[in-house]
Amino acid sequence: GHAGTIREGCKFKFCAVGSARELGRESLAQRAMATAQKQAITLKGSVAIVTEFFGYSVNSILYQRGIYPPETFKKVSKYGLTMLVTTDTGLSEYLEQVLGQLSMWLVNKSVQKLVVVVAGQESGKTLERWVFDVRADKQAEGQVVEARPEKELTSEIQAIIRQITASVTFLPLLDEACTFDLLVYTDTDVNVPAAWEESDPKYIAKSEEVKLRSFTTKIHKVDAAVSYLAEDD
């Protein structure tokens, strides 16, 4: 897996270097959810919820689309659902680093979208693009926003995760071994770490798209969709 940012059509790929640090996103997101019960949410609390959602979503996509062997995933309970997360050390560290950087950019409100690109290992052809559009409320700087009830927010996130799980019913079979890339679309003035290098957008030449559900924390709104290589008639 690789990651990249896209700035006005440019991308940077991430090479996982060194060991990942635990960024405490789990507890931050839990605190944000608890805060949401008190009817208030901060920018950092919203970032924690969105970052955590991306972590679980990427894991779900990698599992459901068979990018990594099923035996390298373990079951955990999250959002009132049974989720699958990787036990592969290299992948875990890589995702930690990407999500850590992503959360920093989210705090600065400079993330436009996160894209999970699935490509054929042999052909190098892009077969699927899972796109999560992110819109931030630019007014919410440093202030506490009235939160949505935790139950509502969890229900919206559940709906997206369920659609990822159900994707095997509507996406074409991936009949070759596949790899994945993570691309982060950012604003042009964002600071990019040296470890991120340029990449292309990895568009699909002829694609079909399925819109998925969305969720909002009131500070961030995330819209999801998946496009896939259209089969020749």
Side-chain angles (χ1 to χ4, degrees), residues 3-218:
T5 67
I6 301 193
R7 303 193 296 172
E8 289 192 330
C10 299
K11 315 219 172 18
F12 301 79
K13 280 204 171 180
F14 181 79
C15 308
V17 284
S19 63
R21 292 184 307 282
E22 179 50 57
L23 298 164
R25 275 189 310 280
E26 181 78 30
S27 56
L28 241 181
Q30 280 169 346
R31 280 205 296 276
M33 284 288 201
T35 308
Q37 288 178 315
K38 296 181 198 135
Q39 308 309 304
I41 189 164
T42 61
L43 172 61
K44 282 193 172 170
S46 179
V47 165
I49 290 168
V50 172
T51 305
E52 185 179 63
F53 163 77
F54 281 148
Y56 282 107
S57 295
V58 172
N59 269 285
S60 290
I61 291 165
L62 297 180
Y63 174 81
Q64 296 298 340
R65 304 311 287 143
I67 313 300
Y68 281 75
E71 62 272 16
T72 63
F73 290 82
K74 66 179 178 188
K75 289 180 179 177
V76 296
S77 184
K78 186 70 191 171
Y79 309 125
L81 300 170
T82 300
M83 307 289 296
L84 288 136
V85 295
T86 185
T87 57
D88 181 291
T89 312
L91 178 57
S92 294
E93 289 183 357
Y94 165 74
L95 290 175
E96 280 287 342
Q97 292 186 37
V98 175
L99 293 172
Q101 181 59 57
L102 182 73
S103 70
M104 285 186 235
W105 283 330
L106 282 166
V107 167
N108 297 331
K109 299 183 183 170
S110 47
V111 176
Q112 295 165 8
K113 62 180 79 177
L114 173 79
V115 182
V116 182
V117 177
V118 176
Q121 205 165 352
E122 290 293 313
S123 65
K125 193 185 288 182
T126 300
L127 303 173
E128 293 173 5
R129 289 176 100 251
W130 295 78
V131 181
F132 298 92
D133 283 303
V134 181
R135 273 175 296 182
D137 176 0
K138 303 283 187 185
Q139 308 304 310
E141 195 60 57
Q143 59 180 320
V144 176
V145 175
E146 185 186 346
R148 305 182 58 220
E150 184 188 353
K151 197 175 173 184
E152 273 181 27
L153 181 57
T154 303
S155 168
E156 287 181 354
I157 291 176
Q158 270 183 352
I160 301 175
I161 299 292
R162 284 197 170 110
Q163 286 178 313
I164 294 172
T165 304
S167 64
V168 290
T169 62
F170 60 81
L171 290 175
L173 189 68
L174 294 173
D175 51 10
E176 63 173 307
C178 292
T179 60
F180 83 99
D181 284 308
L182 284 178
L183 304 178
V184 183
Y185 284 60
T186 65
D187 294 341
T188 50
D189 55 356
V190 74
N191 287 325
V192 178
W196 293 66
E197 59 183 50
E198 279 200 55
S199 152
D200 70 272
K202 301 185 182 292
Y203 291 129
I204 301 171
K206 183 184 164 198
S207 67
E208 305 273 354
E209 187 185 56
V210 176
K211 289 261 187 238
L212 304 177
R213 301 291 283 276
S214 61
F215 79 90
T216 177
T217 64
K218 277 203 176 170

